[in-house]
Amino acid sequence: MFTAAFEERIPVLLKGPTGCGKTRFVEYMAWRLGRPMSAAGKAGNGDAPSQALPVVTVACHEDLTASDLVGRYLLEGETTKWMDGPLTRAVKAGAICYLDEVVEARKDTTVLIHPLTDYRRLLPIEKRAQILEAAEGFLLVISYNPGYQSALKDLKHSTRQRFISLEFDYPPRGQEAEIIAHEAEVTDKVANDLARLGEKVRNLREHGLSEGVSTRLLVYTGKLIRKGIPPRVACQSAVVWSLTDDQEVQRTLEEVVSSIFE
Amino acid sequence: MFTAAFEERIPVLLKGPTGCGKTRFVEYMAWRLGRPMSAAGKAGNGDAPSQALPVVTVACHEDLTASDLVGRYLLEGETTKWMDGPLTRAVKAGAICYLDEVVEARKDTTVLIHPLTDYRRLLPIEKRAQILEAAEGFLLVISYNPGYQSALKDLKHSTRQRFISLEFDYPPRGQEAEIIAHEAEVTDKVANDLARLGEKVRNLREHGLSEGVSTRLLVYTGKLIRKGIPPRVACQSAVVWSLTDDQEVQRTLEEVVSSIFE
Amino acid sequence: MFTAAFEERIPVLLKGPTGCGKTRFVEYMAWRLGRPMSAAGKAGNGDAPSQALPVVTVACHEDLTASDLVGRYLLEGETTKWMDGPLTRAVKAGAICYLDEVVEARKDTTVLIHPLTDYRRLLPIEKRAQILEAAEGFLLVISYNPGYQSALKDLKHSTRQRFISLEFDYPPRGQEAEIIAHEAEVTDKVANDLARLGEKVRNLREHGLSEGVSTRLLVYTGKLIRKGIPPRVACQSAVVWSLTDDQEVQRTLEEVVSSIFE
Amino acid sequence: MFTAAFEERIPVLLKGPTGCGKTRFVEYMAWRLGRPMSAAGKAGNGDAPSQALPVVTVACHEDLTASDLVGRYLLEGETTKWMDGPLTRAVKAGAICYLDEVVEARKDTTVLIHPLTDYRRLLPIEKRAQILEAAEGFLLVISYNPGYQSALKDLKHSTRQRFISLEFDYPPRGQEAEIIAHEAEVTDKVANDLARLGEKVRNLREHGLSEGVSTRLLVYTGKLIRKGIPPRVACQSAVVWSLTDDQEVQRTLEEVVSSIFE
Amino acid sequence: MFTAAFEERIPVLLKGPTGCGKTRFVEYMAWRLGRPMSAAGKAGNGDAPSQALPVVTVACHEDLTASDLVGRYLLEGETTKWMDGPLTRAVKAGAICYLDEVVEARKDTTVLIHPLTDYRRLLPIEKRAQILEAAEGFLLVISYNPGYQSALKDLKHSTRQRFISLEFDYPPRGQEAEIIAHEAEVTDKVANDLARLGEKVRNLREHGLSEGVSTRLLVYTGKLIRKGIPPRVACQSAVVWSLTDDQEVQRTLEEVVSSIFE
Amino acid sequence: MFTAAFEERIPVLLKGPTGCGKTRFVEYMAWRLGRPMSAAGKAGNGDAPSQALPVVTVACHEDLTASDLVGRYLLEGETTKWMDGPLTRAVKAGAICYLDEVVEARKDTTVLIHPLTDYRRLLPIEKRAQILEAAEGFLLVISYNPGYQSALKDLKHSTRQRFISLEFDYPPRGQEAEIIAHEAEVTDKVANDLARLGEKVRNLREHGLSEGVSTRLLVYTGKLIRKGIPPRVACQSAVVWSLTDDQEVQRTLEEVVSSIFE
């Protein structure tokens, strides 16, 4: 589906809970489509701007403005120099631009997203009175977490209907165990137990947990166990205390932990 | 009607839901009135500002200010240079200026719109203490979506009564099928099925859907089907998941999809 | 009354609904008082500031600040240059300054209006630590629409009691028909029908219409009819759709239209 | 009382309704205390800052900041120049500084007012890391209108208890008639009628009028009558319409007008 | 207690109502601890920053930011110059820094107060990427008025628990009479009457008075009486009108005044 | 646990009440991990920025922005100079960066924390279009106080699930007595009494106390007692008045004090 969308240059919206692998999915697809994540661009010396990032990821937040994405003029000694923002770099390089949790961003990003997502594929750079046409490989991918969805922070329909949507959920137990075994370098037994824990915890979501446990936290737990931390202690730090401050819910979670790691 | 308004230079307000073709209508009318959309202005090199856009489209948003429309002074080395904004460029060039979802913009845009929409046809450029008279062909067109209308974001009567209004709705089924067939390059059968789907989904609007499906999403679905994605899977991504996060409503939509693509 | 106020230099507040001719009244009075609206000041070339506007009109809005009215320093190359704002230009030139919908402006405009409206007739220009005495012909005129009046946006009594007030309403039917006939260049029959329509629509104000139809919209309707648009279609665009988004109210308005243009 | 306060340099708070003469009182007291209002400081040429104002009046508003009162650095070509604000000029010159409706100002003015109102008599100028000792004749006078008093805009007790208070009300009828006769240059008959009107209108305050009529508006009415406007018409503009938008209350006021000017 | 806290360098929080002498207490303690209030630092000529203030007092307000306390860079001709704020000057000079009504300040002051109030005694100056160690004599003293305490403006526990607290109240009657006699230079009889008035008024606090009368206002009253103002008139200005705008409460206060000054 | 997390470079979240020793814990762990708190970096002369802080602590507050953490350009004479913020210094030096009460910070810090807390370990410096890879020893540690937790200020799940969590509480009585004895240099008897007081006060938390007494305040009390202040007076200042303004609760606390220090 992502491949078809990419070939037709249809913008993609990824929906799903925290830590289920949306960012990794985008990077994986970029690699499959022949556009591997480059290690360049990580700065060595002070002043050279990063270059050639086929996947440009931006974690959006409440204070992110259009200028943060497009670029701005910077003073440099007595002259000013234009500095491309991450979206402009992606548009020029024909990279995939991934705006993570885009509903968090300020609304002036709308003016950038709309003309990039219809047949025009244009990025207006108002500060330079310029309109950039997106390079061949450019694709806009955004994500959002319907669990956070509220009247204030919902994606506007006029934005939303510019994307096809892919719904994500946590991986099934067997697959998650494999991921944990590989990433945390633990035995299959531990990995399986942690995947079972994940499954059980997510089924508790209606018992006061606003969000299930992410695969990432299960991997953290595995790593702590590998380091010699007793499993139940590791689960308490990386799962129970990380998920909730409510003592009632903590006790319920601890019982789930005890039922697996006796 | 638009032609009559244009000839009398009466400003036009387009009302209608998301993705029903308001932007395209403005561009089509500009073409019919002998003012084709120019491909110029798309930037090739870094510094040349775009020129001669007979339709200047601005997607308005909550942080759009009057300066974004009129222009501002920019530092360039040691001197400052005035840079016209999109509205000023339209006023000078005698272009149609289309402010999309104008109620979203900040209120200081009012000071610009009012004198441009009555017999004066003037654009005040306060920062230069200048008043520009609009060139012969200039016309202001704005749009807004009554579905979003609320106490906070309603168009003020003193603004609203400066425009004649055109109400838009989705195209009838036959016409929409033609559009889908042409844009997505699918067979008439698929296009007809998608147009039927659109019609049925829009009739569900009172069942928890705040907005009907746009023609654009139906075209996306067609493109995915042409790429070999099974129709029901394509509909799920491009229609069901894109319209709502509510699982109840998703199931209702999936039933509609199944009734057409068995 | 306005002439007496002008001769005594008593500031004037115009109250009345949208589009009933408050701006035109100010310009007409300026003309009658021997101070015709000059066509100068409309910019031909880029940099020359406009001059000699005996009526300076400013449409106020929520973001209008005192600096927008008084002026500000602008960077020009390496030096800064003071640029008078519209109120300062009016004070220096002895012009009438008309602040339209002044309650919309930010509250720091109060500091400017108060000393200009009592016996002092002074304009403080804080940024230059200067106090300007108003030239002989200067008069401050403001307007506001009591229909919008709310706790938040009401004119403060300490401001309000510095002005005498003139209440405006729509013109009586016969006079409005003359205006429509003259401005839209339509037959007396059409102009009369439109004036009757206006009268009837305004009587509906208690049936869900927050504001009556302006003379301007009736003139627009006349222009569309002259261009060959059928009267009922013209009324729908320029009156019904422009006044309301409520389908119930639209139907009521359409019946009023049908009762006049069968 | 004011003289005693001035001699002891006790700061004074003036309380009272709009237009009852608080500003004039301050100017009169300054004159009586041998510190006449100077006509200097009104700018003739462009750049000379005003000087030597024994009464410095500042109309406070919601956006007035400490910098507006103390002063700021201004760019001038390539150098910056400090520009004293009105409060600093008063502190240096030993003038009376009158902050009108001080509760409207932003709260950072507190930091300025407090050390100026106790035994220290100091004005901190933070931007220059300087503390100015007030010159001998300096006195801070502030005003506020208890009619506007609300939870949000009330004077803080820690500020309020630094001032003695003088309550103002409209002048008694005979005295007000003299003022009107003198200022509007009307006959004693007209002046008396207007003073009676004022008295009656103020007694209506509990009938929906939030504020009584100011002496200023009565003077305006007198001026219009002297210009030949019929008294009842003059009263309608300068009193009825200026006091309220409520048609019910307007009718009550018109009856009061009719009972005096038959 | 204050001496012990000073010797241990334990930060001190002063709690108490308006005008009960918190500021004077800090200055007195500084004097007792051998650090008299210097008269230097009061500016004589324009540019010399003040120096060597053993008690640095800052009246906090809603717009007070960390930069106001720490310092900032100022443009000076073509170069910039760092200007220490009052807190930095106190930290360097080893002075007592007294932040009056600290809850009013903006929250970025927290970052400054916390490391200064624990064992670290450090002031971070972010703008210079510098950390200052407090000089030997430095002590932070803050005050707040529990009478104003609300959900919004309460001191955070993580801040509050960094201070020991001293609760203040008005002085007992005999002591207050002595203060009044000394400061206002009135007879013991008058001073005693005023101290009795103070005591009675403060007992009315539950009858609609949100705050008792400060010693300062009683001193003002004494000064006015010494100047020849009749006692009841002086009390009305300096006590009754200064404490409340409520006519009911004013009458109650006037009765208290009459019971003492017949 | 912290050691294991550090070795795996798993970010750590510390949860717990005010003054229970979270900051000290981070510093202790840094010391145990062979990275002692350096005394360098405390500025001696004016301009040298601090260097080599293996634990960089930032007390977060409502106005803390991403620029405060990452760094900014500063004007220096005619040129601009980049100044690293505390987070950037930690990332470069491989230090532990401790963000205290991170929920208080503005949301644009999210964009910094996210890529630093997953497998990427990257710090984007948007203003320089640069991405820094964290040095080997870098670890992000954040804290928050669940007692303050509210809908507005809760840590987002997408942030929270990037950390393992350690819950802190006050030390048990015996251990707390040792701390008090050591820090306040008091006898074991006094230290034990104070530890008992702490335990009793914390059990009162459901009786109107929103937060228990911190170990820090108990140490302060000890210091005052050592200075000769009678125990009950010392407790009143350092415990009772510091914990609450409520007179009811103060009396309850005083009874607890009396039951221990008769």
Side-chain angles (χ1 to χ4, degrees), chain E residues 1-239:
Chain E
M1 176 71 75
F2 191 94
T3 309
F6 176 75
E7 283 169 17
E8 292 289 324
R9 300 294 184 269
I10 302 176
V12 178
L13 164 66
L14 309 178
K15 303 200 289 188
T18 294
C20 68
K22 297 191 294 287
T23 303
R24 290 226 161 169
F25 172 78
V26 176
E27 287 175 359
Y28 170 76
M29 288 310 302
W31 171 83
R32 270 210 26 191
L33 296 166
R35 14 189 48 243
M37 170 76 174
S38 126
K42 290 168 189 165
N45 57 353
D47 287 296
S50 58
Q51 290 178 331
L53 288 170
V55 178
V56 175
T57 299
V58 181
C60 298
H61 54 81
E62 289 173 22
D63 302 315
L64 189 99
T65 64
S67 295
D68 293 330
L69 289 174
V70 172
R72 49 169 56 91
Y73 282 102
L74 290 176
L75 280 171
E76 198 163 272
E78 291 181 40
T79 67
T80 57
K81 203 173 111 183
W82 173 261
M83 186 73 81
D84 281 343
L87 181 57
T88 305
R89 290 199 304 272
V91 162
K92 285 182 174 170
I96 291 176
C97 184
Y98 175 48
L99 303 179
D100 192 14
E101 297 204 45
V102 76
V103 279
E104 299 286 336
R106 289 197 37 203
K107 298 310 178 228
D108 58 354
T109 54
T110 314
V111 84
L112 306 173
I113 290 178
H114 282 200
L116 272 173
T117 50
D118 55 27
Y119 66 96
R120 294 175 289 175
R121 289 175 62 84
L122 299 174
L123 175 66
I125 307 186
E126 271 308 322
K127 291 218 176 99
R128 316 184 83 187
Q130 210 182 50
I131 298 181
L132 266 188
E133 205 166 358
E136 172 55 19
F138 176 79
L139 184 71
L140 191 66
V141 179
I142 65 177
S143 77
Y144 103 123
N145 185 339
Y148 293 158
Q149 174 188 11
S150 71
L152 263 173
K153 283 284 182 67
D154 212 356
L155 216 49
K156 286 199 296 180
H157 261 278
S158 59
T159 299
R160 188 170 182 150
Q161 296 211 4
R162 291 164 174 279
F163 295 84
I164 64 160
S165 307
L166 297 179
E167 287 205 353
F168 279 73
D169 211 338
Y170 302 108
R173 199 210 296 178
Q175 203 177 320
E176 189 161 39
E178 274 177 56
I179 295 168
I180 297 167
H182 178 260
E183 298 255 330
E185 298 169 42
V186 289
T187 63
D188 288 357
K189 167 78 176 72
V190 168
N192 258 310
D193 284 351
L194 288 171
R196 271 172 59 215
L197 176 64
E199 197 178 54
K200 285 200 172 186
V201 166
R202 286 160 200 155
N203 289 335
L204 285 172
R205 244 190 283 185
E206 50 269 26
H207 293 84
L209 263 186
S210 56
E211 185 100 347
V213 65
S214 67
T215 308
R216 181 187 293 124
L217 282 182
L218 296 175
V219 171
Y220 283 174
T221 321
K223 284 182 170 176
L224 293 175
I225 291 171
R226 181 169 45 79
K227 276 285 170 183
I229 306 284
R232 285 165 71 167
V233 177
C235 288
Q236 186 157 55
S237 259
V239 178

Side-chain angles (χ1 to χ4, degrees), chain D residues 144-155:
Chain D
Y144 103 122
N145 184 340
Y148 293 158
Q149 174 189 12
S150 72
L152 263 173
K153 282 286 182 67
D154 212 356
L155 216 50

Side-chain angles (χ1 to χ4, degrees), chain C residues 12-113:
Chain C
V12 178
L13 163 66
L14 310 179
K15 302 200 290 189
T18 294
C20 68
K22 296 191 293 287
T23 304
R24 289 225 161 169
F25 172 77
V26 176
E27 287 175 357
Y28 170 76
M29 288 311 301
W31 173 84
R32 267 210 29 191
L33 296 165
R35 15 191 45 244
M37 170 76 175
S38 128
K42 290 167 189 167
N45 57 353
D47 286 297
S50 58
Q51 291 178 331
L53 286 172
V55 178
V56 175
T57 299
V58 181
C60 297
H61 54 83
E62 289 173 21
D63 303 316
L64 190 100
T65 64
S67 294
D68 294 328
L69 289 175
V70 172
R72 48 169 55 90
Y73 282 101
L74 290 176
L75 280 171
E76 200 164 89
E78 291 182 40
T79 67
T80 57
K81 206 174 109 182
W82 174 261
M83 186 73 81
D84 282 342
L87 181 57
T88 306
R89 290 199 303 274
V91 162
K92 283 182 174 169
I96 291 174
C97 184
Y98 175 49
L99 303 179
D100 194 14
E101 297 204 44
V102 74
V103 279
E104 300 286 337
R106 291 199 33 206
K107 297 312 178 225
D108 60 354
T109 53
T110 313
V111 83
L112 306 173
I113 290 179

Side-chain angles (χ1 to χ4, degrees), chain D residues 32-231:
Chain D
R32 270 212 25 194
L33 296 165
R35 14 191 45 244
M37 170 75 175
S38 127
K42 289 166 188 166
N45 57 353
D47 286 297
S50 58
Q51 291 179 333
L53 288 171
V55 179
V56 174
T57 299
V58 181
C60 297
H61 55 82
E62 289 172 22
D63 302 316
L64 190 100
T65 64
S67 295
D68 294 329
L69 289 174
V70 172
R72 48 169 56 89
Y73 282 101
L74 289 177
L75 280 171
E76 199 164 89
E78 290 181 41
T79 67
T80 56
K81 205 175 111 182
W82 174 261
M83 186 73 80
D84 281 343
L87 181 57
T88 306
R89 289 198 305 271
V91 162
K92 284 182 174 171
I96 291 175
C97 183
Y98 175 49
L99 303 179
D100 193 14
E101 298 205 44
V102 76
V103 279
E104 300 286 337
R106 289 195 40 201
K107 298 311 178 226
D108 59 355
T109 53
T110 314
V111 83
L112 306 173
I113 290 179
H114 282 200
L116 272 174
T117 50
D118 55 26
Y119 65 96
R120 293 175 289 174
R121 289 176 61 84
L122 299 174
L123 174 66
I125 307 186
E126 271 308 323
K127 291 218 176 99
R128 315 184 83 187
Q130 209 182 50
I131 297 180
L132 265 188
E133 205 166 358
E136 171 55 18
F138 175 79
L139 184 72
L140 191 66
V141 180
I142 64 177
S143 77
Y144 103 122
N145 184 340
Y148 293 158
Q149 174 189 12
S150 72
L152 263 173
K153 282 286 182 67
D154 212 356
L155 216 50
K156 285 199 297 181
H157 261 279
S158 59
T159 299
R160 189 170 179 149
Q161 296 211 4
R162 292 165 174 277
F163 295 84
I164 64 159
S165 306
L166 297 179
E167 287 205 353
F168 280 73
D169 211 337
Y170 302 108
R173 198 211 294 179
Q175 203 177 322
E176 188 161 39
E178 275 177 56
I179 295 168
I180 296 168
H182 177 261
E183 298 255 331
E185 298 170 43
V186 289
T187 63
D188 287 357
K189 168 77 176 70
V190 168
N192 257 309
D193 283 352
L194 288 170
R196 271 172 58 215
L197 176 63
E199 198 179 53
K200 285 198 173 187
V201 167
R202 285 159 200 156
N203 288 336
L204 286 171
R205 246 192 280 185
E206 51 269 27
H207 293 85
L209 264 186
S210 58
E211 185 99 347
V213 64
S214 67
T215 308
R216 182 188 292 123
L217 282 182
L218 297 175
V219 171
Y220 282 174
T221 320
K223 284 182 171 176
L224 292 175
I225 292 171
R226 183 169 44 80
K227 277 287 170 182
I229 306 287

Side-chain angles (χ1 to χ4, degrees), chain B residues 149-211:
Chain B
Q149 175 189 11
S150 72
L152 263 172
K153 281 287 180 69
D154 212 356
L155 215 51
K156 285 198 297 181
H157 262 278
S158 60
T159 300
R160 188 170 181 149
Q161 296 210 6
R162 293 165 174 277
F163 295 83
I164 63 162
S165 306
L166 296 179
E167 287 205 352
F168 279 72
D169 212 337
Y170 301 110
R173 197 211 295 177
Q175 204 178 317
E176 189 160 40
E178 275 177 56
I179 295 168
I180 297 168
H182 177 261
E183 299 252 332
E185 298 171 41
V186 289
T187 63
D188 287 358
K189 169 79 177 68
V190 168
N192 257 310
D193 283 353
L194 288 170
R196 271 172 59 215
L197 176 64
E199 200 179 53
K200 284 198 173 186
V201 166
R202 285 159 199 155
N203 288 335
L204 287 171
R205 245 191 281 186
E206 51 268 27
H207 293 84
L209 264 187
S210 58
E211 185 101 345

Side-chain angles (χ1 to χ4, degrees), chain F residues 241-256:
Chain F
W241 288 343
S242 283
L243 284 181
T244 183
D245 305 321
D246 187 305
Q247 297 197 355
E248 199 79 29
V249 183
Q250 288 186 354
R251 265 191 297 273
T252 314
L253 288 173
E254 279 159 12
E255 282 164 28
V256 175

Side-chain angles (χ1 to χ4, degrees), chain B residues 112-125:
Chain B
L112 306 173
I113 290 179
H114 282 200
L116 272 173
T117 51
D118 56 26
Y119 66 95
R120 293 176 291 177
R121 290 176 60 83
L122 299 174
L123 175 66
I125 307 185

Side-chain angles (χ1 to χ4, degrees), chain A residues 108-128:
Chain A
D108 59 355
T109 53
T110 314
V111 84
L112 306 173
I113 290 179
H114 281 200
L116 272 174
T117 50
D118 56 26
Y119 65 95
R120 294 176 290 177
R121 290 176 59 85
L122 299 174
L123 174 66
I125 307 185
E126 271 309 322
K127 290 216 177 103
R128 315 185 84 188

